[in-house]
Amino acid sequence: QVQLVESGGGLVQPGGSLRLSCAASGSIFSIDAMGWYRQAPGKEREFVAIIRSSGSTHYADSVKGRFTLSRDNAKNTVYLQMNSLKPEDTAVYICNCNASMWYWGQGTQVTVSS
């Protein structure tokens, strides 16, 4: 079992920045990939970014060049640095990880509005 706890969401103006954190606990030795999805009101959940144990990353086209995903293995935490935020980035951001199966966090709200 793996537990994921997200933090760092909030309200930010367009063009601003936020950093989300996702801390893993439990059977962390079995974690391979960790990443983020997001879900806006009335829309399906969509992929944002993923980082594998090798350190390789992959981003959705909509966030490429603006978001950066990093991983601190010592703290079992991943960080999503979000820059140049747009109103269309408004969503609940949900952390997930793969440890023989997929685990999901509860999510953290990000609102981009003036």
Side-chain angles (χ1 to χ4, degrees), residues 56-106:
S56 64
T57 53
H58 179 65
Y59 299 91
D61 288 342
S62 59
V63 307
K64 202 172 293 183
R66 299 187 298 121
F67 290 12
T68 302
L69 183 59
S70 60
R71 182 169 180 168
D72 185 334
N73 291 325
K75 295 183 178 180
N76 304 309
T77 299
V78 293
Y79 303 97
L80 183 67
Q81 178 65 43
M82 306 186 295
N83 298 328
S84 302
L85 283 162
K86 305 175 182 179
E88 51 262 44
D89 293 318
T90 295
V92 175
Y93 283 70
I94 307 159
C95 177
N96 74 337
C97 75
N98 185 280
S100 300
M101 59 179 284
W102 287 99
Y103 294 89
W104 298 84
Q106 294 297 309

Side-chain angles (χ1 to χ4, degrees), residues 1-4 24-25 27-35 50 95-105:
Q1 290 280 348
V2 175
Q3 294 78 43
L4 301 172
S25 61
S27 301
I28 57 176
F29 60 88
S30 61
I31 293 176
D32 177 20
M34 293 185 70
I50 190 169
C95 177
N96 74 337
C97 75
N98 185 280
S100 300
M101 59 179 284
W102 287 99
Y103 294 89
W104 298 84

